[in-house]
Amino acid sequence: DCGHESIIENPPLSCGSCSMQPSLLKLDPRQWWNQPLLEASRILVIGCGAIGNEVVKNLVMMGVQNFTLIDFDAVEPHNLSRSVLFNNASLERAATNRKVDVMMEGIHLLQSKVNVTAIYGGILDPISKEMGKDMSWELSLNENDLQKLGQEHDLCIIATDGVAPKAFASLALYRILPIVQGAMNSTGNFGLVRASLPLVTACVMCPTTEDVVKLDDSGY
């Protein structure tokens, strides 16, 4: 309202420049929280591991009704300790032990009416192709495939491992729909979340000011 930008991180939720509460925060929640719109949203999820599980579980409990899941991996015993939608019940119900199939059954155990499309496939990024990784998937998704999927959805969650597939997916989808990308380290004690809006913000793989290391006079 005062014309200055201010980062609001902690209560009280007030502007750091003028100390006033932004008018947006005073609005009736019904003006910025649209439950019917949320429930009708179509969510594209790339990566069905621990992060994908947690995000999708929360969205289902918020009422989201439409998901497309993409993953090329299978559920292993160690996944059960950190992936809430992978459990004995969802494993027994699933037609295969593929993560997309088991996760779909886990979603239906929470809410049976949710629409789920499971794609057993991976991102066909150039590095994976060059390294000759085993691609015995039903689908190898190239840039055109991802863009077509992006046009059919309202939001993309990128929760897959590996810099190359994340960068490839971001490149293909950045101009089409909002993206949220989440990652954590191998021990699970450090997480990172980034989001992008088409042609409004930088992409989720672009460096931020915190990532840039200043060079000294010698160039290092």
Side-chain angles (χ1 to χ4, degrees):
D1 294 340
C2 68
H4 293 89
E5 291 187 2
S6 180
I7 297 176
I8 300 176
E9 296 180 317
N10 300 301
L13 303 178
S14 59
C15 173
S17 299
C18 67
S19 299
M20 299 294 291
Q21 186 181 50
S23 57
L24 179 63
L25 298 179
K26 301 176 184 178
L27 294 176
D28 186 320
R30 288 172 293 183
Q31 298 185 43
W32 54 266
W33 184 276
N34 188 324
Q35 185 66 25
L37 181 64
L38 178 69
E39 292 179 4
S41 297
R42 301 162 299 173
I43 312 299
L44 177 64
V45 182
I46 303 176
C48 296
I51 292 177
N53 262 254
E54 189 65 24
V55 172
V56 169
K57 179 264 293 181
N58 290 337
L59 290 175
V60 170
M61 295 178 72
M62 291 169 65
V64 176
Q65 297 287 314
N66 304 285
F67 294 90
T68 297
L69 312 176
I70 301 174
D71 202 295
F72 62 87
D73 207 357
V75 176
E76 299 179 19
H78 67 269
N79 298 136
L80 302 180
S81 64
R82 57 179 181 267
S83 302
V84 65
L85 298 175
F86 299 160
N87 51 61
N88 290 335
S90 58
L91 279 167
E92 290 174 1
R93 287 169 54 110
T96 73
N97 67 339
R98 297 170 180 174
K99 286 183 176 180
V100 289
D101 293 331
V102 180
M103 190 167 175
M104 177 170 63
E105 294 301 335
I107 292 171
H108 287 154
L109 285 169
L110 287 177
Q111 174 52 266
S112 61
K113 295 183 180 180
V114 174
N115 301 310
V116 183
T117 299
I119 297 177
Y120 177 60
I123 307 302
L124 198 61
D125 62 271
I127 292 180
S128 295
K129 289 173 63 178
E130 185 176 338
M131 293 177 64
K133 290 185 177 179
D134 178 22
M135 295 180 182
S136 55
W137 317 322
E138 290 180 352
L139 286 177
S140 298
L141 302 169
N142 59 29
E143 185 173 0
N144 290 334
D145 297 327
L146 288 173
Q147 289 175 348
K148 183 178 179 180
L149 282 169
Q151 292 166 357
E152 298 170 350
H153 292 80
D154 303 300
L155 174 70
C156 177
I157 307 294
I158 299 180
T160 186
D161 294 330
V163 174
K166 285 187 286 192
F168 189 74
S170 176
L171 175 66
L173 298 171
Y174 167 67
R175 294 173 177 268
I176 299 175
L177 78 173
I179 298 172
V180 178
Q181 183 252 319
M184 64 182 178
N185 63 358
S186 58
T187 59
N189 61 0
F190 175 80
L192 174 69
V193 178
R194 285 181 173 172
S196 68
L197 295 174
L199 303 179
V200 175
T201 68
C203 77
V204 293
M205 298 303 292
C206 291
T208 65
T209 53
E210 290 79 11
D211 299 323
V212 176
V213 178
K214 295 182 178 179
L215 303 180
D216 59 25
D217 294 337
S218 64
Y220 293 97

